[in-house]
Each structure stands twice: as structure tokens, then as C-alpha cells.
């Protein structure tokens, strides 16, 4: 009897302590500066959101997101494979939840993405005619963009249509619809979503050759009398190797075309990789050196990461008149896609918050860039 009582008391004490520690970290989260408030006069601060975050499975996470970010991009749920799984079937459940999430927490949503060669619905593989690809392309843009017009703030209308040398990527859209598919996607989006900003989004498009291809695309869209409001530079970079000069040159050149400039998927990889960019089709084989920091990031790398983020944000602030948004690709290190790409199951540290939402040195450096 006494033993049973003791066990119950111990369990209660453990639960109480766990709750206290939850309360403690929740209270701590409220004391750290807010990114969205810090940069509110400069540009929007965004994050990518996954299913659990959109479903608000953890109230502390929800409060944390609402305090730190005023813009959000769905990491996966608006991609065509998920939102348009069958020829005549759409699944709007998660996207609708995301819209409600944005409304509730005063967070603007960037739709991602209407036309992308990756994460296409499985039925596309069985299509081998121009007519059918054209029908999918038109129906998809019309249906999805019109449903969310006025509900999302903006769309990444076309994502990653370019190769590294600035030529057009050989996607199913290029193959069947030809070079003009990008302009046509914007034309359809403009008709379906007159109240929504329309963007072209890519990675490595700060690099000179790819940038030149991107500039050609933007000029072509404009020359056709079609609306394009902005260009997204994804910003998947590597620690100690941030191409600041190319980034600055790109901000200037894109802004000179009369479009808004955004950094749309920012993260800084700290793990070894033998190529640059974010081509999800590219993979690496694991070896003994590929996961060097399974338990913690060494101070030297942490310091370099903080210096890189500081330099980036100084540059962003220098050009704040041209930049409208900076979005991180994930809320904290534990959420990042870089834990599973280009090798599965690594431990990466690419963001401003650690796996417990605690600010890293990089966070404080970023906050301190605002005078
Ligand atoms: O949902 C399935 C799950 O049911 C299954 O058990 C599991 C096993 O593999 O896969 C899950 O799907 C994964 C999905 O993420 C959700 O976690 C896919 O395999 C995985 O390929 C997918 O990766 C996404 C990647 O795009 C490919 O579409 C990443 O989360 C997402 O961060 C990444 O985002 C892209 C941007 O959209 C465009 N720019 C590059 C960026 C990084 O690759």
C-alpha cells in the first residue's frame, strides 16, 4: 500500500516537473527577441511549415512560430503531387488549414508552388501527349490559383525551370509545351489569381549564368504583357562559402527589372557536400565522414555560421528597399530537409534555432544587425 502511494506520488512529481519545464521553456521563448518585430520596418520574415506545424499539434510550437514569423510557405502540402493527386481529384484539406493558420496568427502565406518538375502527381508518368500535359497544366493552375486568390498573399508560379548554365531545364513541361511554358503559366495565374502576387523561384539564380537565364525569363514574361511581381532566390548556401558578391549583384540586377526580390528558402548547410544548390534529384552516398556532428555543432562552425548569417542580413538590410521577404526553410534545425538530403539521417544545423527552439549565436547576430 505504502509502495503504491509512493509510486503515485513520484509519478505526480515527475509530471509536475515535466510541466514546469514546459512552462519554463515556453516562458523563455517569450523573452527572446522576435524576428518579425525586429525587421518589421525592413522586410517580412518567413518560415516553411510542415504538416505537424500546420495542424498545430504542439501549442508551444504554434506560439513560437506566431511570435517569430509573419510570413509562411508550405514546405510540401501545396505541391501538385499532394494537392492534385488524381486527374480530376484535388485534396485541399491541408492547404485550407494553412490558410486558416495564417489568418489566425496574422501570417501571410506564399503558395508553393504551381508549376514544378518535381513532386508531380504519379498519374503524370502515364501521360505522353502534348494535349494531356497542356490540359493538366491549365486545369491545375486555374483550379488551385483561383481557389486561393485573395487567400494566399503570393504564389511561386514556376519553380526551378532553369539549368545551372541558364538554359531551360528539360522538364516534362519544356518537353511537351516548349520554352513558352513559363510565360503561359504566369498568364494563366494572372487570370485565375488577379489579387495575388506572382513570383518566379529558383536556387543558385544568384550565380551569373543562371541569373542571366532568369533575367531572360523575366524579360520574356514582361514582353508578352504578362504580370510577374517578384523573383525568389532560394538561398540554400554552404557555411563559409556564401556568395555575397553574386547575391548583391543579383539584388541590383533583378530590382532593375522592376520586380521585388525575395530570399525564399534560406538555410546554411554545415555538413559536407560536394556540390552546391538544391536539386532534390541529386544524392550522395554516405561514408564515415558524412555525418561529422551527430551530437553537437563544434564552436568553430557555430561561430562561422553566425558570421555568415550576420553578413547576409547586413547585405539584406543594405538593400531593404528592394527586398520584400526573407524566408527560412524550416522553423528549427530539427525540421530541416537537410537532415535527409542529399544523404538520409544526418544531423544538420542550418537555421537560427536549435532542435528545442532555442536561439543559436547566429540568431543574436542577425537581431543585432538592426541598429
Ligand atoms: O510524406 C512522405 C511519407 O509518407 C513517407 O513515409 C516518407 C518516406 O520517404 O516520405 C514523405 O515524403 C517526403 C516529403 O518531403 C515530406 O517529408 C518526401 O519523400 C521528400 O522527398 C520530401 O522532400 C521535400 C523536397 O522538397 C522534395 O519535394 C522536402 O521536405 C522539402 O523541404 C523540399 O523543398 C524544396 C522546395 O520545395 C523547392 N526548392 C528546394 C527545396 C529543398 O529541396
Amino acid at each position: 500500500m505504502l509502495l503504491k502511494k509512493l509510486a503515485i506520488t513520484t509519478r505526480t512529481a515527475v509530471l509536475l516537473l515535466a510541466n514546469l519545464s514546459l512552462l519554463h521553456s515556453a516562458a523563455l521563448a517569450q523573452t527572446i527577441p522576435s524576428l518579425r518585430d525586429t525587421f518589421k520596418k525592413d522586410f517580412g520574415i518567413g518560415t516553411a511549415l510542415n504538416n505537424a506545424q500546420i495542424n498545430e499539434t504542439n501549442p508551444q510550437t504554434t506560439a513560437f512560430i506566431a511570435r517569430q514569423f509573419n510570413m509562411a510557405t508550405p514546405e510540401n502540402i501545396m505541391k501538385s503531387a499532394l494537392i492534385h493527386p488524381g486527374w480530376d481529384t484535388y485534396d485541399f484539406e491541408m492547404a485550407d488549414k494553412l490558410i486558416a493558420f495564417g489568418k489566425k496568427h496574422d501570417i501571410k502565406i506564399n503558395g508553393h508552388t504551381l508549376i514544378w518538375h518535381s513532386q508531380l502527381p504519379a498519374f503524370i508518368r502515364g501521360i505522353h501527349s502534348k494535349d494531356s500535359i497542356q490540359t493538366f497544366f491549365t486545369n491545375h493552375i486555374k483550379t488551385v490559383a483561383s481557389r486561393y486568390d485573395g487567400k494566399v498573399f503570393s504564389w511561386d508560379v514556376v519553380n526551378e525551370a532553369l539549368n545551372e548554365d541558364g538554359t531551360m531545364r528539360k522538364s516534362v513541361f519544356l518537353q511537351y509545351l516548349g520554352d513558352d511554358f513559363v510565360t503561359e503559366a504566369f498568364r494563366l495565374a494572372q487570370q485565375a489569381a488577379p489579387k495575388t502576387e506572382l513570383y518566379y523561384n529558383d536556387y543558385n539564380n544568384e550565380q551569373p549564368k543562371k541569373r542571366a537565364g532568369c533575367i531572360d525569363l523575366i524579360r520574356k514574361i514582361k514582353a508578352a504583357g504578362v504580370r510577374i511581381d517578384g523573383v525568389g532566390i532560394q538561398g540554400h548556401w554552404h557555411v563559409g562559402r556564401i556568395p555575397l558578391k553574386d547575391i548583391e549583384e543579383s539584388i541590383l540586377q533583378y530590382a532593375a527589372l522592376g520586380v521585388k526580390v525575395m530570399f525564399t528558402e534560406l538555410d546554411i548547410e554545415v555538413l559536407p557536400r560536394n556540390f552546391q544548390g538544391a536539386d532534390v534529384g541529386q544524392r550522395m552516398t554516405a561514408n564515415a565522414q558524412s555525418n561529422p556532428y551527430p551530437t553537437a555543432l563544434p564552436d568553430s562552425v557555430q561561430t562561422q555560421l553566425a558570421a555568415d548569417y550576420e553578413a547576409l542580413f547586413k547585405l539584406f538590410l543594405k538593400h531593404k528597399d528592394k527586398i520584400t521577404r526573407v524566408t527560412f526553410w524550416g522553423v528549427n534545425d530539427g525540421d530541416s530537409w537537410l537532415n535527409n538530403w542529399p544523404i538520409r539521417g544526418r544531423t544538420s544545423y542550418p537555421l537560427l534555432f536549435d532542435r528545442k527552439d532555442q536561439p543559436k549565436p547566429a540568431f543574436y547576430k542577425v537581431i543585432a544587425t538592426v541598429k
Side-chain angles (χ1 to χ4, degrees):
M1 184 68 181
L2 187 66
L3 275 179
K4 205 171 169 190
K5 253 191 182 164
L6 252 178
I8 291 170
T9 327
T10 318
R11 214 180 313 138
T12 317
V14 168
L15 279 176
L16 199 69
L17 276 176
N19 279 337
L20 274 176
S21 115
L22 275 179
L23 278 176
H24 180 65
S25 52
L28 260 186
Q30 295 300 318
T31 63
I32 62 167
S34 148
L35 288 166
R36 67 183 273 176
D37 290 348
T38 304
F39 291 95
K40 73 170 179 288
K41 291 203 199 106
D42 308 314
F43 34 71
I45 296 283
T47 185
L49 293 179
N50 61 31
N51 278 27
Q53 291 156 347
I54 296 165
N55 280 324
E56 303 198 25
T57 52
N58 179 339
Q60 267 180 265
T61 304
T62 306
F64 184 79
I65 292 167
R67 181 173 155 78
Q68 291 296 338
F69 305 100
N70 50 16
M71 301 206 165
T73 301
E75 189 175 2
N76 285 298
I77 53 122
M78 280 182 149
K79 292 173 181 172
S80 61
L82 289 98
I83 209 166
H84 190 171
W87 182 256
D88 280 326
T89 325
Y90 292 85
D91 180 353
F92 294 122
E93 191 189 337
M94 286 305 295
D96 287 355
K97 276 191 188 169
L98 175 67
I99 301 301
F101 182 98
K103 233 180 180 178
K104 184 166 152 199
H105 302 293
D106 189 21
I107 289 175
K108 285 183 183 155
I109 305 298
N110 173 58
H112 175 82
T113 167
L114 290 170
I115 295 298
W116 189 29
H117 65 275
S118 187
Q119 268 185 300
L120 284 165
F123 69 83
I124 289 286
R125 270 182 250 127
I127 296 181
H128 302 288
S129 77
K130 177 176 175 175
D131 179 76
S132 301
I133 294 290
Q134 179 76 64
T135 305
F136 164 78
F137 182 87
T138 307
N139 288 349
H140 180 75
I141 297 176
K142 274 189 176 171
T143 309
V144 180
S146 62
R147 181 180 179 95
Y148 294 108
D149 190 31
K151 293 183 174 162
V152 296
F153 177 74
S154 52
W155 268 112
D156 292 334
V157 177
V158 177
N159 194 42
E160 302 173 5
L162 292 164
N163 292 317
E164 298 308 287
D165 65 359
T167 59
M168 296 290 289
R169 182 193 287 270
K170 283 202 174 57
S171 67
V172 66
F173 302 114
L174 185 79
Q175 191 189 340
Y176 287 102
L177 309 179
D179 265 17
D180 285 344
F181 86 85
V182 176
T183 303
E184 291 316 307
F186 277 83
R187 195 193 302 279
L188 287 164
Q190 161 182 317
Q191 286 157 4
K195 298 195 283 283
T196 307
E197 295 203 356
L198 307 177
Y199 309 144
Y200 175 76
N201 192 50
D202 214 327
Y203 60 85
N204 283 355
N205 53 341
E206 78 284 353
Q207 294 299 311
K209 285 184 183 161
K210 201 162 180 176
R211 183 206 301 148
C214 194
I215 288 174
D216 283 350
L217 273 183
I218 297 169
R219 286 209 172 113
K220 215 171 147 183
I221 297 167
K222 284 180 168 268
V226 174
R227 175 165 67 91
I228 171 167
D229 301 294
V231 58
I233 297 172
Q234 292 183 6
H236 295 290
W237 291 305
H238 207 284
V239 72
R241 289 194 263 132
I242 311 291
L244 292 167
K245 277 209 167 120
D246 294 325
I247 298 171
E248 180 159 35
E249 192 52 39
S250 302
I251 296 170
L252 296 170
Q253 292 196 22
Y254 287 137
L257 299 173
V259 292
K260 297 173 179 175
V261 182
M262 273 145 276
F263 293 87
T264 54
E265 303 185 12
L266 181 58
D267 51 24
I268 300 181
E269 178 62 291
V270 296
L271 302 180
R273 195 193 314 156
N274 53 17
F275 60 93
Q276 208 182 334
D279 190 336
V280 288
Q282 231 169 330
R283 290 265 157 196
M284 262 169 71
T285 319
N287 61 33
Q289 285 84 47
S290 52
N291 191 25
Y293 320 123
T295 50
L297 193 61
D299 283 342
S300 59
V301 190
Q302 191 79 269
T303 307
Q304 182 65 56
L305 183 74
D308 286 350
Y309 268 117
E310 180 183 27
L312 266 174
F313 273 78
K314 280 187 173 162
L315 182 63
F316 296 161
L317 284 172
K318 182 176 170 195
H319 296 291
K320 62 183 183 187
D321 58 324
K322 306 170 194 72
I323 297 172
T324 52
R325 165 165 63 97
V326 178
T327 292
F328 294 89
W329 205 238
V331 175
N332 76 28
D333 286 343
D335 303 319
S336 172
W337 71 297
L338 291 169
N339 294 300
N340 287 307
W341 181 88
I343 298 173
R344 282 203 176 277
R346 298 202 293 180
T347 311
S348 194
Y349 305 82
L351 297 165
L352 298 187
F353 300 106
D354 73 11
R355 286 169 165 71
K356 292 184 174 153
D357 286 339
Q358 295 304 303
K360 293 156 64 177
F363 171 83
Y364 291 107
K365 289 282 186 195
V366 164
I367 293 286
T369 57
V370 178
K371 302 265 164 23

